[in-house]
Amino acid sequence: MLVVFTNEYEAIAELFKVKKSGIDSVAQPRLGTKKRKGAKYVQRSNENIFNLNQEELKQRIKIFEAILQPGLSYNIFLPQNKIFFEEVMQGKIPQQVYIGLGYNDKLNVNGERLDILNLFSWAKRAQQGIPELELIIWDASCYQAVNMLDPKKIPAQFSADTAQEILGTLGQTLKENSQIRENSELREKYLKAFMSTLDIKGRVIPARDYLTGQETEYSKQFQKCLDFCRDPSTDQLKIVRAVQFGKIPDRAKVLYTPMEIAEALLLLETYGNDIKLGPTSEKCFDKFIVAAARELNGAQYKSIWYTRPPGKPASYLTNDGNSIDFNDSTDIIGKKLENQSYRNWLGDVIKPFSTEPSLEDNINKVITTVKGELR
């Protein structure tokens, strides 16, 4: 007869409790069924399916804690929490998590935004509980070329060569635009400096290497995703299918969603990565990635979302002028830290990387160390 370990069941249920984000109405669903929820659901699942003993349950708790990271001033959400729960309980421990990063138009002048540390902070804590976990960063800063693209260069009709044609045009745009090219090269240097100085296990993949007209694996995935996002009745990408937020002023910008899906499917097939990390602002993109992975690859894709501090844009890419940049002076940093919610959030974010007496000292140490690696 299986012994009931109430404390372990309750601990797992507490980690998976319902959480909500008031900024963009994100909620983590309740773990359970109509009949059983919380600890009772965890217990019954273990008794009927997993049959884990007390020591094995404690190991699973360690994994769940590494992913969900309770006790911080911000929340980590698992929108597919039931799938996460079942896979980990069955012994499938996450091996890779990927995040895609966009364009920072002030990078050459202001330096990187310190807020980007939140994804590295999550990875650092996660790797303490799951040492084999690898962070894969898809550096998509070169996607800014899409914004510079003449919409007339987007094919009106789709064929088997549409992806190669579009990528060839984007690649040419990138070659001709030195500002975007130099910006994306500097972003890659920053990301690699973060990885090395903060001791994060992982790799940086620059998307600009894939923006060519050649037959590449990314081109194949992009073609699949163009087909997935198009309206077969009109043979064109539709805003209602491709993007579900904001107003898209021209046909070129609807390319963002199939490109995002393509990068996720590329990493899924290349590395077996089936988890995407990102801010809650990417929930609409992630919805399509999950659907595409299911329909095109038969995979149960999962997302991990994190929240930003109260009063801040959900995405760190939205510059409100009050976030710390790497080239800020000491006085400017002090002024920006007067926002208490931002200060609390940043204190939690930077904690795994430095143990200086004050938050200001920790910030200065991280900035100085990373900049030293850039030289």
Side-chain angles (χ1 to χ4, degrees), residues 50-233:
F50 309 117
N51 297 308
L52 302 179
N53 59 35
Q54 187 173 23
E55 187 58 37
E56 290 170 329
L57 285 171
K58 288 180 177 179
Q59 293 173 353
R60 300 308 192 273
I61 291 172
K62 183 179 179 181
I63 302 300
F64 292 136
E65 286 177 337
I67 298 296
L68 286 161
Q69 301 180 9
L72 300 174
S73 60
Y74 53 93
N75 283 327
I76 308 295
F77 292 89
L78 296 180
Q80 297 85 21
N81 62 351
K82 189 172 185 291
I83 297 175
F84 261 101
F85 168 74
E86 291 175 350
E87 288 186 348
V88 173
M89 292 291 279
Q90 291 167 355
K92 182 182 177 181
I93 310 303
Q95 301 295 304
Q96 305 98 13
V97 174
Y98 115 87
I99 185 169
L101 296 178
Y103 191 69
N104 178 351
D105 61 342
K106 303 295 184 182
L107 187 64
N108 291 314
V109 177
N110 297 341
E112 190 55 88
R113 294 174 190 150
L114 195 67
D115 291 10
I116 202 174
L117 280 178
N118 59 353
L119 69 97
F120 293 102
S121 183
W122 179 88
K124 186 74 170 181
R125 288 186 170 98
Q127 290 173 357
Q128 289 171 355
I130 312 173
E132 63 269 32
L133 182 69
E134 182 180 21
L135 176 67
I136 300 175
I137 299 180
W138 179 269
D139 177 10
S141 52
C142 65
Y143 284 9
Q144 178 70 5
V146 174
N147 293 327
M148 312 302 294
L149 194 62
D150 183 352
K152 295 178 182 178
K153 293 185 178 181
I154 303 300
Q157 300 294 319
F158 285 76
S159 69
D161 300 321
T162 300
Q164 290 186 58
E165 183 178 349
I166 292 174
L167 291 177
T169 303
L170 287 173
Q172 187 61 37
T173 301
L174 188 60
K175 291 177 183 178
E176 295 171 354
N177 193 308
S178 59
Q179 181 179 352
I180 298 176
R181 187 176 63 255
E182 291 170 4
N183 182 295
S184 64
E185 290 171 355
L186 180 57
R187 160 56 65 75
E188 182 184 356
K189 291 179 181 179
Y190 263 108
L191 295 177
K192 289 183 176 179
F194 281 123
M195 285 287 201
S196 61
T197 61
L198 303 178
D199 192 25
I200 306 295
K201 179 182 179 182
R203 70 190 75 185
V204 177
I205 302 176
R208 67 177 182 277
D209 292 348
Y210 295 84
L211 293 191
T212 68
Q214 300 173 1
E215 181 64 33
T216 65
E217 184 60 31
Y218 180 78
S219 178
K220 295 176 185 177
Q221 297 299 334
F222 186 40
Q223 183 70 48
K224 288 166 57 177
C225 296
L226 286 171
D227 294 335
F228 177 78
C229 289
R230 76 184 178 93
D231 184 338
S233 65

Side-chain angles (χ1 to χ4, degrees), residues 279-293:
T280 53
S281 60
E282 295 185 355
K283 62 181 181 179
C284 295
F285 280 128
D286 290 358
K287 174 183 177 182
F288 285 101
I289 291 174
V290 170

